[in-house]
Amino acid sequence: MDKLLTWVARFVQFAFWYCTDFMANLANRTHTSYNETNTWVLLLLIPGLLALLTGVRIAQWFQLRRLAARRPPPLLSYTLNCPLGSSFFMTFRKHSLALLLLLSGYGAVAQVAAPARKAPARKVVAAKAMPATATVDPAAAQRIDQLLREYTAANRVPGAIALVMRDGKVLYRKAVGLDDVAAQTPLRTDAIVRIASQTKAITSIGLMLLYDEGKFQLDDPISKYLPAFKNPKVLVSFNEKDSTYTTVPAKSEITIRQLFTHTSGIGYPIIGSKEARGIYAKAHIPSGIGTPAGSLAKSMDALGALPLMHQPGERFTYGLSVDVLGRLIEVLSGQPLDKYLRARLFEPLGMKDTWFYLPADRQARLARLYTEDANQQTAFMGPRDGMIPDYPKAAGTYFSGGAGLSSTIDDYARFLQMLLDNGRYNGRQLLKPATVALIRQNQIGNLSQGGNKFGLGFSIVTAESAAKQPVGLSEGSYEWGGIFGTTYWVDPKAKLVALIYTQKYPSGTARDLADKFKTAVYQSFVAGSK
């Protein structure tokens, strides 16, 4: 009887485990909740186990009766004291207890440790260096090829790189012409170029990551975080001979929104108005391009004490506003701007070739920088306005949020694609979709930036402006560029990202290249515009 009970208990345990495994597999095949199958297992097994244990109990009773007929002691006394009865009872109790514990524990384990419901298999897409290249009509691509060859063959620009993406797929990616004219070295698609003012959009988005975290409000005064900008003054008069000036108190504090939109009244050194150039030069305020020495914190504190070119919010004035936002990032995050952008944007987006100052292993890929001589002939650029062309190779300490970065066309395309995809990249949500929508909206009211409006870091194409530009460009597209001949735009309605990069300043002979490229893109790749 002892052996019988042991084998019965083992059989029940085996049957229980087998049924559990069977029902789990069934759940996976039918996509039924795993916990639903647990219920069915218990409903099927518990009545059977109770019946089996009842039968065993009856068999025990009959066995004890037979033993009692042979000996006079009471049934309970005999059961507890005789070797056979004691062994039988303990075996029954041991296996019954084990089975009950197994059943009670199973329900708890099933609820706590059961595998999640298995959904139908989905295709897993691995991260790639760049999105897949779509099948493109060669005749369509030839329009862009012909345009770039025309400009490079005539040396209007030594070389150009172009990239077009639609629906997240690469339609065109090519480098045409030369990097080094003297050595006749071809320009490569992975060349690292000075993107200058394209840095502004990256800094703006970097700060909006902190906006998503509730670190500031758009209409907060900047002086709340950078006290040097407290009680700003506005320029009234300027003496060109000695750069002296007079001021009046500003009517209001500069807001963070006004810094995003270049309506703060802060101007630009070198390329700004004569007043801004004179005042900033005297105070040694750097432009951020080719100025590797110094500290962003010290320069922004010095800028805060200087007069504004106009009342805050009065008009659009391109200037160092986004450099101030770069300093705001440092204060809010507690990190230098370069480290913050690397951790929060460059690494998540796979922008491995985007740097303020290039590591040694990337310096050979820095494209040559060109200019024009008095006869508008293309020539190598030497030191100019205090800028050394190879400044990205310096071991710099000045991180200009408005102009300091160098990058590749692929890296910047990833950044723009993330924005087109409402803040999402490679399965990770970097910015809230509502924040991306805010970035793309007009933030300057009735003011204008040329024929466009301005959002939080980008020029926003209006309906009137779109009507005057190449056929196909949609209202709500956003764009900008850099002083060395880099241009980009994003067309959300066409799901289009396009960039064209050269390295030349000034570029009077290729001033219209960006517009012609835009026309060729829509004629080639956007349905209904051919």
PDB file of all heavy atoms in Angstrom, residues 48-82:
ATOM      1  N   GLY A  48     -10.402  15.760 -10.442  1.00  0.00           N
ATOM      2  CA  GLY A  48      -9.780  14.442 -10.578  1.00  0.00           C
ATOM      3  C   GLY A  48      -8.913  14.092  -9.390  1.00  0.00           C
ATOM      4  O   GLY A  48      -8.925  12.957  -8.897  1.00  0.00           O
ATOM      5  N   LEU A  49      -8.169  15.062  -8.901  1.00  0.00           N
ATOM      6  CA  LEU A  49      -7.313  14.811  -7.739  1.00  0.00           C
ATOM      7  C   LEU A  49      -8.130  14.523  -6.490  1.00  0.00           C
ATOM      8  O   LEU A  49      -7.801  13.642  -5.698  1.00  0.00           O
ATOM      9  CB  LEU A  49      -6.400  16.022  -7.504  1.00  0.00           C
ATOM     10  CG  LEU A  49      -5.231  16.177  -8.478  1.00  0.00           C
ATOM     11  CD1 LEU A  49      -4.533  17.499  -8.227  1.00  0.00           C
ATOM     12  CD2 LEU A  49      -4.253  15.027  -8.327  1.00  0.00           C
ATOM     13  N   LEU A  50      -9.221  15.291  -6.317  1.00  0.00           N
ATOM     14  CA  LEU A  50     -10.077  15.043  -5.148  1.00  0.00           C
ATOM     15  C   LEU A  50     -10.680  13.650  -5.185  1.00  0.00           C
ATOM     16  O   LEU A  50     -10.741  12.953  -4.164  1.00  0.00           O
ATOM     17  CB  LEU A  50     -11.181  16.101  -5.092  1.00  0.00           C
ATOM     18  CG  LEU A  50     -10.723  17.516  -4.725  1.00  0.00           C
ATOM     19  CD1 LEU A  50     -11.894  18.497  -4.823  1.00  0.00           C
ATOM     20  CD2 LEU A  50     -10.137  17.545  -3.320  1.00  0.00           C
ATOM     21  N   ALA A  51     -11.112  13.233  -6.390  1.00  0.00           N
ATOM     22  CA  ALA A  51     -11.668  11.881  -6.522  1.00  0.00           C
ATOM     23  C   ALA A  51     -10.614  10.832  -6.221  1.00  0.00           C
ATOM     24  O   ALA A  51     -10.868   9.830  -5.533  1.00  0.00           O
ATOM     25  CB  ALA A  51     -12.231  11.693  -7.929  1.00  0.00           C
ATOM     26  N   LEU A  52      -9.403  11.046  -6.735  1.00  0.00           N
ATOM     27  CA  LEU A  52      -8.335  10.073  -6.524  1.00  0.00           C
ATOM     28  C   LEU A  52      -7.956   9.987  -5.044  1.00  0.00           C
ATOM     29  O   LEU A  52      -7.795   8.911  -4.477  1.00  0.00           O
ATOM     30  CB  LEU A  52      -7.119  10.468  -7.353  1.00  0.00           C
ATOM     31  CG  LEU A  52      -5.925   9.500  -7.312  1.00  0.00           C
ATOM     32  CD1 LEU A  52      -6.337   8.136  -7.839  1.00  0.00           C
ATOM     33  CD2 LEU A  52      -4.790  10.064  -8.154  1.00  0.00           C
ATOM     34  N   LEU A  53      -7.848  11.155  -4.396  1.00  0.00           N
ATOM     35  CA  LEU A  53      -7.478  11.166  -2.976  1.00  0.00           C
ATOM     36  C   LEU A  53      -8.587  10.556  -2.124  1.00  0.00           C
ATOM     37  O   LEU A  53      -8.326   9.884  -1.119  1.00  0.00           O
ATOM     38  CB  LEU A  53      -7.183  12.591  -2.529  1.00  0.00           C
ATOM     39  CG  LEU A  53      -5.921  13.211  -3.124  1.00  0.00           C
ATOM     40  CD1 LEU A  53      -5.806  14.676  -2.717  1.00  0.00           C
ATOM     41  CD2 LEU A  53      -4.688  12.437  -2.679  1.00  0.00           C
ATOM     42  N   THR A  54      -9.848  10.778  -2.528  1.00  0.00           N
ATOM     43  CA  THR A  54     -10.968  10.153  -1.803  1.00  0.00           C
ATOM     44  C   THR A  54     -10.895   8.641  -1.913  1.00  0.00           C
ATOM     45  O   THR A  54     -11.098   7.900  -0.936  1.00  0.00           O
ATOM     46  CB  THR A  54     -12.302  10.661  -2.363  1.00  0.00           C
ATOM     47  OG1 THR A  54     -12.350  12.082  -2.212  1.00  0.00           O
ATOM     48  CG2 THR A  54     -13.484  10.033  -1.632  1.00  0.00           C
ATOM     49  N   GLY A  55     -10.572   8.160  -3.134  1.00  0.00           N
ATOM     50  CA  GLY A  55     -10.439   6.704  -3.310  1.00  0.00           C
ATOM     51  C   GLY A  55      -9.318   6.140  -2.459  1.00  0.00           C
ATOM     52  O   GLY A  55      -9.446   5.056  -1.873  1.00  0.00           O
ATOM     53  N   VAL A  56      -8.221   6.865  -2.417  1.00  0.00           N
ATOM     54  CA  VAL A  56      -7.098   6.401  -1.591  1.00  0.00           C
ATOM     55  C   VAL A  56      -7.494   6.361  -0.125  1.00  0.00           C
ATOM     56  O   VAL A  56      -7.157   5.443   0.618  1.00  0.00           O
ATOM     57  CB  VAL A  56      -5.879   7.317  -1.804  1.00  0.00           C
ATOM     58  CG1 VAL A  56      -4.780   7.000  -0.806  1.00  0.00           C
ATOM     59  CG2 VAL A  56      -5.360   7.161  -3.226  1.00  0.00           C
ATOM     60  N   ARG A  57      -8.269   7.368   0.314  1.00  0.00           N
ATOM     61  CA  ARG A  57      -8.699   7.424   1.711  1.00  0.00           C
ATOM     62  C   ARG A  57      -9.597   6.251   2.040  1.00  0.00           C
ATOM     63  O   ARG A  57      -9.503   5.633   3.110  1.00  0.00           O
ATOM     64  CB  ARG A  57      -9.440   8.744   1.930  1.00  0.00           C
ATOM     65  CG  ARG A  57      -9.797   9.023   3.375  1.00  0.00           C
ATOM     66  CD  ARG A  57      -8.582   9.394   4.174  1.00  0.00           C
ATOM     67  NE  ARG A  57      -8.929   9.777   5.526  1.00  0.00           N
ATOM     68  CZ  ARG A  57      -8.070  10.139   6.464  1.00  0.00           C
ATOM     69  NH1 ARG A  57      -6.781  10.154   6.168  1.00  0.00           N
ATOM     70  NH2 ARG A  57      -8.466  10.476   7.672  1.00  0.00           N
ATOM     71  N   ILE A  58     -10.492   5.898   1.112  1.00  0.00           N
ATOM     72  CA  ILE A  58     -11.389   4.751   1.320  1.00  0.00           C
ATOM     73  C   ILE A  58     -10.580   3.468   1.397  1.00  0.00           C
ATOM     74  O   ILE A  58     -10.819   2.592   2.249  1.00  0.00           O
ATOM     75  CB  ILE A  58     -12.438   4.686   0.192  1.00  0.00           C
ATOM     76  CG1 ILE A  58     -13.383   5.893   0.303  1.00  0.00           C
ATOM     77  CG2 ILE A  58     -13.215   3.381   0.235  1.00  0.00           C
ATOM     78  CD1 ILE A  58     -14.324   6.042  -0.881  1.00  0.00           C
ATOM     79  N   ALA A  59      -9.589   3.383   0.473  1.00  0.00           N
ATOM     80  CA  ALA A  59      -8.747   2.175   0.502  1.00  0.00           C
ATOM     81  C   ALA A  59      -8.004   2.072   1.832  1.00  0.00           C
ATOM     82  O   ALA A  59      -7.850   0.978   2.401  1.00  0.00           O
ATOM     83  CB  ALA A  59      -7.759   2.221  -0.653  1.00  0.00           C
ATOM     84  N   GLN A  60      -7.569   3.215   2.377  1.00  0.00           N
ATOM     85  CA  GLN A  60      -6.882   3.209   3.670  1.00  0.00           C
ATOM     86  C   GLN A  60      -7.822   2.709   4.763  1.00  0.00           C
ATOM     87  O   GLN A  60      -7.444   1.946   5.637  1.00  0.00           O
ATOM     88  CB  GLN A  60      -6.383   4.620   3.993  1.00  0.00           C
ATOM     89  CG  GLN A  60      -5.664   4.696   5.339  1.00  0.00           C
ATOM     90  CD  GLN A  60      -5.507   6.123   5.805  1.00  0.00           C
ATOM     91  OE1 GLN A  60      -6.318   6.960   5.408  1.00  0.00           O
ATOM     92  NE2 GLN A  60      -4.508   6.367   6.630  1.00  0.00           N
ATOM     93  N   TRP A  61      -9.078   3.186   4.664  1.00  0.00           N
ATOM     94  CA  TRP A  61     -10.053   2.805   5.713  1.00  0.00           C
ATOM     95  C   TRP A  61     -10.285   1.311   5.728  1.00  0.00           C
ATOM     96  O   TRP A  61     -10.306   0.667   6.766  1.00  0.00           O
ATOM     97  CB  TRP A  61     -11.347   3.567   5.444  1.00  0.00           C
ATOM     98  CG  TRP A  61     -12.385   3.337   6.509  1.00  0.00           C
ATOM     99  CD1 TRP A  61     -12.436   3.868   7.746  1.00  0.00           C
ATOM    100  CD2 TRP A  61     -13.529   2.484   6.390  1.00  0.00           C
ATOM    101  NE1 TRP A  61     -13.519   3.430   8.434  1.00  0.00           N
ATOM    102  CE2 TRP A  61     -14.223   2.560   7.608  1.00  0.00           C
ATOM    103  CE3 TRP A  61     -14.034   1.665   5.369  1.00  0.00           C
ATOM    104  CZ2 TRP A  61     -15.400   1.836   7.847  1.00  0.00           C
ATOM    105  CZ3 TRP A  61     -15.194   0.964   5.607  1.00  0.00           C
ATOM    106  CH2 TRP A  61     -15.871   1.045   6.832  1.00  0.00           C
ATOM    107  N   PHE A  62     -10.447   0.748   4.470  1.00  0.00           N
ATOM    108  CA  PHE A  62     -10.642  -0.708   4.392  1.00  0.00           C
ATOM    109  C   PHE A  62      -9.411  -1.447   4.893  1.00  0.00           C
ATOM    110  O   PHE A  62      -9.508  -2.479   5.553  1.00  0.00           O
ATOM    111  CB  PHE A  62     -10.960  -1.120   2.953  1.00  0.00           C
ATOM    112  CG  PHE A  62     -12.404  -0.922   2.600  1.00  0.00           C
ATOM    113  CD1 PHE A  62     -12.785   0.038   1.690  1.00  0.00           C
ATOM    114  CD2 PHE A  62     -13.413  -1.700   3.204  1.00  0.00           C
ATOM    115  CE1 PHE A  62     -14.119   0.228   1.370  1.00  0.00           C
ATOM    116  CE2 PHE A  62     -14.747  -1.500   2.869  1.00  0.00           C
ATOM    117  CZ  PHE A  62     -15.112  -0.538   1.955  1.00  0.00           C
ATOM    118  N   GLN A  63      -8.243  -0.950   4.613  1.00  0.00           N
ATOM    119  CA  GLN A  63      -7.029  -1.602   5.069  1.00  0.00           C
ATOM    120  C   GLN A  63      -6.965  -1.597   6.599  1.00  0.00           C
ATOM    121  O   GLN A  63      -6.609  -2.591   7.225  1.00  0.00           O
ATOM    122  CB  GLN A  63      -5.803  -0.868   4.496  1.00  0.00           C
ATOM    123  CG  GLN A  63      -4.460  -1.359   5.006  1.00  0.00           C
ATOM    124  CD  GLN A  63      -4.077  -2.722   4.447  1.00  0.00           C
ATOM    125  OE1 GLN A  63      -4.813  -3.283   3.625  1.00  0.00           O
ATOM    126  NE2 GLN A  63      -2.957  -3.254   4.906  1.00  0.00           N
ATOM    127  N   LEU A  64      -7.320  -0.472   7.191  1.00  0.00           N
ATOM    128  CA  LEU A  64      -7.291  -0.378   8.649  1.00  0.00           C
ATOM    129  C   LEU A  64      -8.339  -1.283   9.280  1.00  0.00           C
ATOM    130  O   LEU A  64      -8.124  -1.854  10.354  1.00  0.00           O
ATOM    131  CB  LEU A  64      -7.527   1.078   9.069  1.00  0.00           C
ATOM    132  CG  LEU A  64      -6.398   2.057   8.733  1.00  0.00           C
ATOM    133  CD1 LEU A  64      -6.804   3.474   9.110  1.00  0.00           C
ATOM    134  CD2 LEU A  64      -5.115   1.676   9.457  1.00  0.00           C
ATOM    135  N   ARG A  65      -9.475  -1.429   8.618  1.00  0.00           N
ATOM    136  CA  ARG A  65     -10.517  -2.337   9.146  1.00  0.00           C
ATOM    137  C   ARG A  65     -10.027  -3.764   9.145  1.00  0.00           C
ATOM    138  O   ARG A  65     -10.286  -4.527  10.081  1.00  0.00           O
ATOM    139  CB  ARG A  65     -11.799  -2.221   8.317  1.00  0.00           C
ATOM    140  CG  ARG A  65     -12.634  -0.992   8.693  1.00  0.00           C
ATOM    141  CD  ARG A  65     -13.949  -1.048   7.939  1.00  0.00           C
ATOM    142  NE  ARG A  65     -14.680  -2.261   8.327  1.00  0.00           N
ATOM    143  CZ  ARG A  65     -15.746  -2.250   9.121  1.00  0.00           C
ATOM    144  NH1 ARG A  65     -16.207  -1.112   9.612  1.00  0.00           N
ATOM    145  NH2 ARG A  65     -16.390  -3.371   9.415  1.00  0.00           N
ATOM    146  N   ARG A  66      -9.355  -4.166   8.073  1.00  0.00           N
ATOM    147  CA  ARG A  66      -8.822  -5.515   8.019  1.00  0.00           C
ATOM    148  C   ARG A  66      -7.811  -5.746   9.135  1.00  0.00           C
ATOM    149  O   ARG A  66      -7.784  -6.787   9.782  1.00  0.00           O
ATOM    150  CB  ARG A  66      -8.182  -5.785   6.659  1.00  0.00           C
ATOM    151  CG  ARG A  66      -9.205  -5.994   5.544  1.00  0.00           C
ATOM    152  CD  ARG A  66      -8.568  -6.649   4.327  1.00  0.00           C
ATOM    153  NE  ARG A  66      -7.533  -5.824   3.758  1.00  0.00           N
ATOM    154  CZ  ARG A  66      -7.793  -4.906   2.819  1.00  0.00           C
ATOM    155  NH1 ARG A  66      -9.029  -4.709   2.386  1.00  0.00           N
ATOM    156  NH2 ARG A  66      -6.812  -4.181   2.335  1.00  0.00           N
ATOM    157  N   LEU A  67      -6.979  -4.728   9.371  1.00  0.00           N
ATOM    158  CA  LEU A  67      -5.985  -4.856  10.437  1.00  0.00           C
ATOM    159  C   LEU A  67      -6.660  -4.874  11.813  1.00  0.00           C
ATOM    160  O   LEU A  67      -6.245  -5.606  12.718  1.00  0.00           O
ATOM    161  CB  LEU A  67      -4.989  -3.686  10.362  1.00  0.00           C
ATOM    162  CG  LEU A  67      -4.041  -3.712   9.153  1.00  0.00           C
ATOM    163  CD1 LEU A  67      -3.254  -2.418   9.109  1.00  0.00           C
ATOM    164  CD2 LEU A  67      -3.093  -4.902   9.238  1.00  0.00           C
ATOM    165  N   ALA A  68      -7.693  -4.084  11.954  1.00  0.00           N
ATOM    166  CA  ALA A  68      -8.377  -4.026  13.242  1.00  0.00           C
ATOM    167  C   ALA A  68      -9.070  -5.344  13.575  1.00  0.00           C
ATOM    168  O   ALA A  68      -9.232  -5.713  14.737  1.00  0.00           O
ATOM    169  CB  ALA A  68      -9.394  -2.898  13.226  1.00  0.00           C
ATOM    170  N   ALA A  69      -9.510  -6.057  12.540  1.00  0.00           N
ATOM    171  CA  ALA A  69     -10.175  -7.347  12.773  1.00  0.00           C
ATOM    172  C   ALA A  69      -9.209  -8.366  13.366  1.00  0.00           C
ATOM    173  O   ALA A  69      -9.596  -9.308  14.054  1.00  0.00           O
ATOM    174  CB  ALA A  69     -10.769  -7.878  11.473  1.00  0.00           C
ATOM    175  N   ARG A  70      -7.934  -8.190  13.098  1.00  0.00           N
ATOM    176  CA  ARG A  70      -6.934  -9.128  13.612  1.00  0.00           C
ATOM    177  C   ARG A  70      -6.432  -8.734  14.985  1.00  0.00           C
ATOM    178  O   ARG A  70      -5.920  -9.538  15.729  1.00  0.00           O
ATOM    179  CB  ARG A  70      -5.765  -9.202  12.646  1.00  0.00           C
ATOM    180  CG  ARG A  70      -6.085  -9.996  11.395  1.00  0.00           C
ATOM    181  CD  ARG A  70      -4.860 -10.087  10.508  1.00  0.00           C
ATOM    182  NE  ARG A  70      -5.068  -9.344   9.276  1.00  0.00           N
ATOM    183  CZ  ARG A  70      -4.116  -8.909   8.524  1.00  0.00           C
ATOM    184  NH1 ARG A  70      -2.865  -9.057   8.908  1.00  0.00           N
ATOM    185  NH2 ARG A  70      -4.373  -8.275   7.418  1.00  0.00           N
ATOM    186  N   ARG A  71      -6.537  -7.489  15.393  1.00  0.00           N
ATOM    187  CA  ARG A  71      -6.006  -7.026  16.667  1.00  0.00           C
ATOM    188  C   ARG A  71      -7.076  -6.215  17.401  1.00  0.00           C
ATOM    189  O   ARG A  71      -7.833  -5.492  16.775  1.00  0.00           O
ATOM    190  CB  ARG A  71      -4.779  -6.148  16.450  1.00  0.00           C
ATOM    191  CG  ARG A  71      -3.607  -6.972  15.933  1.00  0.00           C
ATOM    192  CD  ARG A  71      -2.349  -6.158  16.011  1.00  0.00           C
ATOM    193  NE  ARG A  71      -1.195  -6.929  15.579  1.00  0.00           N
ATOM    194  CZ  ARG A  71       0.050  -6.523  15.694  1.00  0.00           C
ATOM    195  NH1 ARG A  71       0.324  -5.337  16.209  1.00  0.00           N
ATOM    196  NH2 ARG A  71       1.046  -7.305  15.305  1.00  0.00           N
ATOM    197  N   PRO A  72      -7.063  -6.273  18.721  1.00  0.00           N
ATOM    198  CA  PRO A  72      -8.098  -5.598  19.480  1.00  0.00           C
ATOM    199  C   PRO A  72      -7.937  -4.097  19.623  1.00  0.00           C
ATOM    200  O   PRO A  72      -8.918  -3.419  19.878  1.00  0.00           O
ATOM    201  CB  PRO A  72      -8.023  -6.258  20.864  1.00  0.00           C
ATOM    202  CG  PRO A  72      -6.623  -6.794  20.944  1.00  0.00           C
ATOM    203  CD  PRO A  72      -6.235  -7.166  19.560  1.00  0.00           C
ATOM    204  N   PRO A  73      -6.729  -3.503  19.527  1.00  0.00           N
ATOM    205  CA  PRO A  73      -6.634  -2.071  19.813  1.00  0.00           C
ATOM    206  C   PRO A  73      -7.579  -1.258  18.941  1.00  0.00           C
ATOM    207  O   PRO A  73      -7.935  -1.664  17.842  1.00  0.00           O
ATOM    208  CB  PRO A  73      -5.181  -1.730  19.484  1.00  0.00           C
ATOM    209  CG  PRO A  73      -4.461  -3.022  19.606  1.00  0.00           C
ATOM    210  CD  PRO A  73      -5.423  -4.063  19.169  1.00  0.00           C
ATOM    211  N   PRO A  74      -7.996  -0.090  19.459  1.00  0.00           N
ATOM    212  CA  PRO A  74      -8.875   0.776  18.658  1.00  0.00           C
ATOM    213  C   PRO A  74      -8.215   1.149  17.330  1.00  0.00           C
ATOM    214  O   PRO A  74      -6.992   1.131  17.205  1.00  0.00           O
ATOM    215  CB  PRO A  74      -9.061   2.006  19.547  1.00  0.00           C
ATOM    216  CG  PRO A  74      -8.724   1.531  20.933  1.00  0.00           C
ATOM    217  CD  PRO A  74      -7.718   0.446  20.784  1.00  0.00           C
ATOM    218  N   LEU A  75      -9.030   1.522  16.429  1.00  0.00           N
ATOM    219  CA  LEU A  75      -8.552   1.823  15.069  1.00  0.00           C
ATOM    220  C   LEU A  75      -7.513   2.938  15.074  1.00  0.00           C
ATOM    221  O   LEU A  75      -6.432   2.793  14.492  1.00  0.00           O
ATOM    222  CB  LEU A  75      -9.752   2.221  14.201  1.00  0.00           C
ATOM    223  CG  LEU A  75      -9.426   2.625  12.764  1.00  0.00           C
ATOM    224  CD1 LEU A  75      -8.797   1.461  11.998  1.00  0.00           C
ATOM    225  CD2 LEU A  75     -10.683   3.083  12.058  1.00  0.00           C
ATOM    226  N   LEU A  76      -7.788   4.033  15.756  1.00  0.00           N
ATOM    227  CA  LEU A  76      -6.874   5.152  15.733  1.00  0.00           C
ATOM    228  C   LEU A  76      -5.565   4.796  16.395  1.00  0.00           C
ATOM    229  O   LEU A  76      -4.486   5.104  15.875  1.00  0.00           O
ATOM    230  CB  LEU A  76      -7.506   6.360  16.430  1.00  0.00           C
ATOM    231  CG  LEU A  76      -6.643   7.618  16.462  1.00  0.00           C
ATOM    232  CD1 LEU A  76      -6.315   8.060  15.028  1.00  0.00           C
ATOM    233  CD2 LEU A  76      -7.346   8.732  17.234  1.00  0.00           C
ATOM    234  N   SER A  77      -5.661   4.102  17.528  1.00  0.00           N
ATOM    235  CA  SER A  77      -4.440   3.711  18.228  1.00  0.00           C
ATOM    236  C   SER A  77      -3.619   2.784  17.372  1.00  0.00           C
ATOM    237  O   SER A  77      -2.396   2.908  17.271  1.00  0.00           O
ATOM    238  CB  SER A  77      -4.807   3.024  19.555  1.00  0.00           C
ATOM    239  OG  SER A  77      -3.648   2.514  20.157  1.00  0.00           O
ATOM    240  N   TYR A  78      -4.286   1.848  16.725  1.00  0.00           N
ATOM    241  CA  TYR A  78      -3.559   0.905  15.890  1.00  0.00           C
ATOM    242  C   TYR A  78      -2.914   1.630  14.706  1.00  0.00           C
ATOM    243  O   TYR A  78      -1.762   1.372  14.341  1.00  0.00           O
ATOM    244  CB  TYR A  78      -4.519  -0.177  15.386  1.00  0.00           C
ATOM    245  CG  TYR A  78      -3.804  -1.222  14.556  1.00  0.00           C
ATOM    246  CD1 TYR A  78      -3.137  -2.265  15.179  1.00  0.00           C
ATOM    247  CD2 TYR A  78      -3.792  -1.120  13.159  1.00  0.00           C
ATOM    248  CE1 TYR A  78      -2.456  -3.203  14.427  1.00  0.00           C
ATOM    249  CE2 TYR A  78      -3.117  -2.062  12.416  1.00  0.00           C
ATOM    250  CZ  TYR A  78      -2.461  -3.107  13.047  1.00  0.00           C
ATOM    251  OH  TYR A  78      -1.799  -4.043  12.311  1.00  0.00           O
ATOM    252  N   THR A  79      -3.663   2.509  14.118  1.00  0.00           N
ATOM    253  CA  THR A  79      -3.139   3.205  12.946  1.00  0.00           C
ATOM    254  C   THR A  79      -1.887   3.987  13.282  1.00  0.00           C
ATOM    255  O   THR A  79      -0.949   4.063  12.501  1.00  0.00           O
ATOM    256  CB  THR A  79      -4.204   4.159  12.388  1.00  0.00           C
ATOM    257  OG1 THR A  79      -5.371   3.407  12.098  1.00  0.00           O
ATOM    258  CG2 THR A  79      -3.717   4.859  11.133  1.00  0.00           C
ATOM    259  N   LEU A  80      -1.852   4.562  14.469  1.00  0.00           N
ATOM    260  CA  LEU A  80      -0.729   5.398  14.838  1.00  0.00           C
ATOM    261  C   LEU A  80       0.457   4.600  15.353  1.00  0.00           C
ATOM    262  O   LEU A  80       1.569   5.085  15.352  1.00  0.00           O
ATOM    263  CB  LEU A  80      -1.164   6.401  15.924  1.00  0.00           C
ATOM    264  CG  LEU A  80      -2.196   7.436  15.466  1.00  0.00           C
ATOM    265  CD1 LEU A  80      -2.611   8.298  16.644  1.00  0.00           C
ATOM    266  CD2 LEU A  80      -1.639   8.299  14.358  1.00  0.00           C
ATOM    267  N   ASN A  81       0.180   3.372  15.807  1.00  0.00           N
ATOM    268  CA  ASN A  81       1.252   2.644  16.475  1.00  0.00           C
ATOM    269  C   ASN A  81       1.796   1.461  15.701  1.00  0.00           C
ATOM    270  O   ASN A  81       2.975   1.147  15.820  1.00  0.00           O
ATOM    271  CB  ASN A  81       0.768   2.161  17.847  1.00  0.00           C
ATOM    272  CG  ASN A  81       0.566   3.331  18.797  1.00  0.00           C
ATOM    273  OD1 ASN A  81       1.515   4.005  19.152  1.00  0.00           O
ATOM    274  ND2 ASN A  81      -0.688   3.584  19.191  1.00  0.00           N
ATOM    275  N   CYS A  82       0.967   0.785  14.918  1.00  0.00           N
ATOM    276  CA  CYS A  82       1.529  -0.371  14.226  1.00  0.00           C
ATOM    277  C   CYS A  82       2.395   0.088  13.069  1.00  0.00           C
ATOM    278  O   CYS A  82       2.109   1.118  12.463  1.00  0.00           O
ATOM    279  CB  CYS A  82       0.424  -1.318  13.762  1.00  0.00           C
ATOM    280  SG  CYS A  82      -0.197  -0.983  12.115  1.00  0.00           S
TER     281      CYS A  82
END
